[in-house]
Amino acid sequence: MALTFDDGPDPRWTPQILALLARHHAKATFCEIGPNAQAHPAVVRQITAAGHRLCDHSVHHDEHQSAKSADYNTHEILDARQEIADAAGPGAEVPYYRAPGGDFKPWIREIAAGHGMRPLGWTSDSDDWKRPGTAAIMHHINANLRPGAIVLMHDGGGDRTQTVQALSQLLDQLDAQHYTYSFPGR
């Protein structure tokens, strides 16, 4: 199964998530907002140093990108990828693109794919961004959890206390169920 975290990096929450992942020998993909990566390059380098992967999650997290021009979308995708790669340092790869809000119109996927990024969706949405409580986050994840699942959680975008608590429970559960952790296919 693949764990993914959106909207970071965040200097408070991302390190807590990284510590939990390390304790469980789990790998994840971090879908980052370009300016957040630029603001916190040390956190981006912590992510890559721990063996996790990076994903482009745009410049402005505009959930209505597809209603805008191709030039706008190219800027959102390519400029964010560059900001993330610059923050990560020489040789950093950004192999995925996750459209904000799942706005994956075919031509948006083509922009990302044309620049070497695989569009990255999800199969199990935690809805943690709504802060519904740890039990509700776990319920949302478990509703669609199965081998090969791609779980969507957040390490940025506000208070992630519930996310960190749910991740701790989730990792214990997944370990007990003998899940292994992988990256989404390329």
Side-chain angles (χ1 to χ4, degrees), residues 41-54:
V43 180
V44 179
R45 289 190 295 277
Q46 284 180 314
I47 291 168
T48 58
H52 303 289
R53 288 200 180 151
L54 299 173

Side-chain angles (χ1 to χ4, degrees), residues 52-126:
H52 303 289
R53 288 200 180 151
L54 299 173
C55 172
D56 175 344
H57 197 39
S58 81
V59 173
H60 295 103
H61 199 280
D62 182 348
E63 294 184 11
H64 304 286
Q65 273 182 229
S66 65
K68 305 210 170 98
S69 71
D71 285 345
Y72 175 85
N73 278 277
T74 299
H75 155 70
E76 283 293 310
I77 296 168
L78 299 184
D79 288 2
R81 181 182 69 172
Q82 190 62 54
E83 290 171 336
I84 295 162
D86 288 349
E93 292 185 21
V94 184
Y96 305 102
Y97 173 71
R98 175 171 279 163
D103 189 5
F104 275 119
K105 297 291 189 273
W107 60 278
I108 291 176
R109 288 193 310 267
E110 289 172 11
I111 293 170
H115 292 88
M117 291 179 285
R118 176 185 182 265
L120 179 57
W122 57 88
T123 60
S124 184
D125 187 348
S126 68

Side-chain angles (χ1 to χ4, degrees), residues 86-180:
D86 288 349
E93 292 185 21
V94 184
Y96 305 102
Y97 173 71
R98 175 171 279 163
D103 189 5
F104 275 119
K105 297 291 189 273
W107 60 278
I108 291 176
R109 288 193 310 267
E110 289 172 11
I111 293 170
H115 292 88
M117 291 179 285
R118 176 185 182 265
L120 179 57
W122 57 88
T123 60
S124 184
D125 187 348
S126 68
D127 274 344
D128 63 333
W129 64 274
K130 296 177 183 176
R131 296 182 194 94
T134 302
I137 292 169
M138 290 297 294
H139 173 77
H140 291 300
I141 292 169
N142 281 310
N144 293 301
L145 190 62
R146 65 185 189 297
I150 300 173
V151 177
L152 168 61
M153 299 179 87
H154 292 78
D155 65 324
D159 186 331
R160 294 287 144 231
T161 302
Q162 295 174 9
T163 299
V164 171
Q165 292 169 347
L167 179 62
S168 180
Q169 290 178 23
L170 178 64
L171 291 168
D172 287 341
Q173 172 192 316
L174 295 172
D175 287 350
Q177 294 172 339
H178 306 290
Y179 272 87
T180 58

